[in-house]
């Protein structure tokens, strides 16, 4: 399996001092920052958009290589994922992870090039993200079966294949929810089929649940409340990493 990557979700950080929270977390041993973008449509909650990402980006050194330390992992819980790729690229996003469910139900929407009424297929969207020089991730909600990802991942045209798959382990929208262990068969199936794939899990991860996720084969670990609620975030980051590496 690929190396362990610990990605604290800044959703649970102090939004009044977000830049410092980002640099502190990287200093405490985090690899990436997981940046939750919610639009109030795809999920029943809102966070922030590209202008905030632009303002926090200088607080963290840019990654030296793809998927390196300091990667901004933008989890796009938004109804129109194609619409915002260029803005997030400009803002300093490195990895643009959209939801499969949004891609199949949205239109190409308004892009700087003009309107389009065509559906954006996940494949086309991945290629579009790659064309902007970003890495692409694809996320599935708890009710979405994992096999929808197979034909996307098995595509021989690498430009249309995502660099990461995100298996949600809570319903997206809020931090601090309970981990859903019944999502682990999805992770196991992906790991078995794709030994080198970056598989991210998001929701309810912490000291009590990390072994379950790591044993299933997840290597990219998001943790919001567990990291930002800890007395010693560096200690919990270490626990998460050791569980994946053991
Ligand atoms: C939920 C977000 C998560 C959230 C995780 O919709 O995608 O990234 O911040 O928070 P915890 O780790 O507290 O479950
Ligand atoms: Zn997330």
């Amino acid at each position: 399996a690929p190396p362990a990557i610990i990605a604290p979700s800044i959703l649970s950080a102090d939004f009044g001092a977000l830049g410092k929270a980002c640099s502190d977390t990287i200093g405490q041993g985090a690899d990436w920052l997981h940046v939750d973008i919610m639009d109030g449509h795809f999920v029943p909650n809102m966070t922030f958009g590209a202008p905030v990402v632009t303002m926090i980006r200088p607080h963290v050194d840019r990654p030296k290589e793809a998927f390196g330390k300091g990667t901004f992992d933008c989890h796009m819980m938004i109804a129109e994922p194609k619409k915002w790729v260029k803005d997030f690229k400009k803002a300093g996003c490195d990895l643009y992870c959209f939801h499969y469910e949004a891609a199949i139900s949205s239109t190409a929407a308004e892009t700087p090039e003009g309107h389009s009424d065509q559906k954006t297929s996940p494949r086309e969207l991945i290629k579009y993200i790659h064309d902007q020089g970003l890495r692409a991730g694809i996320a599935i909600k708890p009710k979405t079966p994992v096999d929808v990802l197979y034909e996307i991942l098995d595509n021989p045209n690498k430009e249309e294949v995502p660099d990461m798959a995100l298996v949600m382990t809570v319903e997206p929208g809020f931090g601090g929810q309970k981990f859903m262990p019944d999502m682990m068969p999805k992770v196991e199936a992906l790991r078995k089929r794709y030994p080198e794939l970056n598989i991210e899990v998001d929701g309810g991860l912490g000291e009590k649940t990390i072994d379950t996720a790591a044993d299933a084969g997840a290597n990219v670990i998001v943790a919001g409340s567990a990291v930002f609620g800890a007395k010693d975030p560096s200690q919990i980051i270490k626990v998460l990493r050791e569980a994946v590496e053991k």
Side-chain angles (χ1 to χ4, degrees), residues 6 18 51 75 226 233:
I6 309 306
L18 204 46
H75 178 194

Side-chain angles (χ1 to χ4, degrees), residues 34 36 75 77 202:
H34 182 84
D36 285 305
H75 178 194
M77 288 165 276
D202 181 11

Side-chain angles (χ1 to χ4, degrees), residues 173-185:
F174 301 91
Q177 303 182 79
K178 202 169 164 288
F179 176 76
M180 298 166 73
D182 44 327
M183 295 301 118
M184 292 304 99

Side-chain angles (χ1 to χ4, degrees), residues 159-228:
E159 293 187 330
E160 297 175 349
V161 175
D163 307 288
M164 184 181 79
L166 164 53
V167 174
M168 288 306 296
T169 47
V170 297
E171 283 296 339
F174 301 91
Q177 303 182 79
K178 202 169 164 288
F179 176 76
M180 298 166 73
D182 44 327
M183 295 301 118
M184 292 304 99
K186 296 189 195 179
V187 176
E188 285 160 11
L190 284 173
R191 177 56 69 220
K192 199 168 164 216
R193 228 176 132 104
Y194 309 102
E196 297 308 318
L197 178 66
N198 281 297
I199 304 174
E200 182 173 60
V201 283
D202 181 11
L205 272 307
E207 255 162 327
K208 292 205 179 84
T209 52
I210 184 60
D211 286 323
T212 305
D215 291 348
N219 70 298
V220 184
I221 310 300
V222 177
S225 48
V227 168
F228 287 95

